[in-house]
Amino acid sequence: MPIDFNFILLLIVVGVSLWLMMRANRPLKEEALKLSVDQARSFHQKYRKKANRADMPDELRAVAEASDRARPVTLAACATIAASVAAYIFIGA
């Protein structure tokens, strides 16, 4: 049975994308683990959007910064995975 290079390329792209996403989300996870349940709930309800962060307490600022850094990487990784799977299905299969 011949080796399907398109599938190998798909696995490489998905693996690298997931690895980058995990690396970008690691600081967010570390900062989020430092919060209490009430602080995490408060951050999620009030301060997730950048427009609401003017009166944010200092203990939540590190989580907000880590979240701001992780969000674009996560979106880009998801888009890359979706595009590579679509390309494999429609072109390579």
Side-chain angles (χ1 to χ4, degrees):
M1 185 161 83
I3 298 174
D4 187 9
F5 290 111
N6 292 333
F7 185 70
I8 292 172
L9 183 61
L10 172 73
L11 290 178
I12 291 171
V13 168
V14 169
V16 169
S17 298
L18 289 174
W19 178 75
L20 286 173
M21 190 169 51
M22 287 188 319
R23 282 191 50 101
N25 284 325
R26 187 180 304 147
L28 175 61
K29 183 178 178 183
E30 290 172 359
E31 292 297 331
L33 287 175
K34 295 177 186 176
L35 298 178
S36 68
V37 174
D38 292 331
Q39 287 176 324
R41 186 176 296 123
S42 172
F43 177 78
H44 180 73
Q45 291 173 348
K46 297 178 186 175
Y47 304 116
R48 240 179 17 162
K49 296 183 180 176
K50 290 182 183 180
N52 301 338
R53 293 185 184 169
D55 61 341
M56 182 170 54
D58 289 335
E59 62 265 6
L60 299 178
R61 194 155 311 276
V63 177
E65 291 172 0
S67 175
D68 291 343
R69 284 191 304 270
R71 184 175 294 128
V73 175
T74 302
L75 291 175
C78 291
T80 302
I81 290 170
S84 62
V85 168
Y88 177 74
I89 291 170
F90 293 120
I91 297 171

